[in-house]
Amino acid sequence: MLVAGNWKMNTDVPDGRALAASIAEGLSSASSDLGTVEFLVCPPYVHLPAVTDALADAPVTVGAQDMHAEDEGAYTGDVSAPMLTSIGCDAVILGHSERRKYYDETDADVNAKAQQAQAHGLVPIVCVGETLEQRKAGEADTVVQGQVDGALSGVPIDSADELVVAYEPIWAIGTGESAEPEQAQEMHAVIRDDLTERYGTAVADDVPLLYGGSMKPHNAYGLLSQPDIDGGLIGSASLAAESFLGIAEKAGKVLEEARD
């Protein structure tokens, strides 16, 4: 179970460091069993050194929110995979709907970045999801499958820890509206089937599939209890240690019940 926080363009560096420190402190004193829950935070680029330092002794890895598809070059304002790995990043979010919407990123762009991330040992967290109009038109499955196929074409993986896929219905991002657990599970099952065809059952069964889209402590248990939902890519709720850890507690509860 992976609980990942996407801080987006929020907090300044001192506040980001303090948030990371609060998460580390909360995990060290957590009363419930979170030993099998994995944690990741993806702060803005300028926060990465400070956040990495604040989390040095905590069971939390650090990732970035995007990257360029080239190692270096005349790309003012961009950040490369080697830059990210040099400061301790382990993962990178790719293809988030906000990147697609505001920067016109295509599946081909996401694919190039995914291949680059893999080449440098970064785990790509590939985001997919449909708009409300596409869902109402009955196109959700086709849209999401197309995004998965486009993003992962030519991206071989040998083990499940080399890839994460996050399903984020665009109509639920930042709106306070979340997909019903059954809706989310249906799409996660579609994604799992697609990965099975691409990579085989042994790998695809263990690739973490995250749900993103207004996951909060009050709805996390229902979502995380679904068989093909392996965690969450958390937006606004990751900006407060209390809510981020509240979701983590629900993840721990789901795992504990599964063991029993």
Side-chain angles (χ1 to χ4, degrees), residues 46-136:
V46 296
H47 294 41
L48 286 168
V51 168
T52 299
D53 182 64
L55 294 171
D57 297 323
V60 184
T61 54
V62 179
Q65 297 177 19
D66 188 39
M67 52 164 259
H68 199 277
E70 299 291 340
D71 281 354
E72 59 185 9
Y75 303 107
T76 300
D78 277 313
V79 173
S80 70
M83 293 175 184
L84 296 178
T85 57
S86 72
I87 56 174
C89 282
D90 295 297
V92 58
I93 299 171
L94 301 176
H96 193 281
S97 64
E98 291 157 359
R99 299 295 308 181
R100 296 175 187 261
K101 177 180 179 181
Y102 299 125
Y103 301 97
D104 299 319
E105 288 195 0
T106 65
D107 292 335
D109 294 327
V110 179
N111 178 257
K113 293 179 180 183
Q115 294 193 51
Q116 179 76 343
Q118 188 184 60
H120 288 278
L122 288 167
V123 176
I125 304 173
V126 175
C127 298
V128 297
E130 80 284 359
T131 66
L132 183 59
E133 292 74 18
Q134 289 165 336
R135 173 163 283 276
K136 287 182 175 179

Side-chain angles (χ1 to χ4, degrees), residues 209-250:
L209 302 187
L210 310 185
Y211 172 78
S214 298
M215 181 183 283
K216 302 287 192 298
H218 75 269
N219 63 13
Y221 178 82
L223 289 161
L224 297 174
S225 296
Q226 301 303 310
D228 286 300
I229 299 181
D230 306 312
L233 182 57
I234 317 302
S236 61
S238 70
L239 297 175
E242 182 179 3
S243 55
F244 185 69
L245 295 171
I247 292 172
E249 289 178 2
K250 299 299 174 62

Side-chain angles (χ1 to χ4, degrees), residues 20 36 54 56 68 71 75 82 129 133 148 156 159 168 175 182 196 199 205 209:
T36 53
H68 199 277
D71 281 354
Y75 303 107
E133 292 74 18
V148 172
S159 63
E168 296 193 307
T175 64
E182 295 76 13
T196 299
Y199 299 119
D205 279 357
L209 302 187

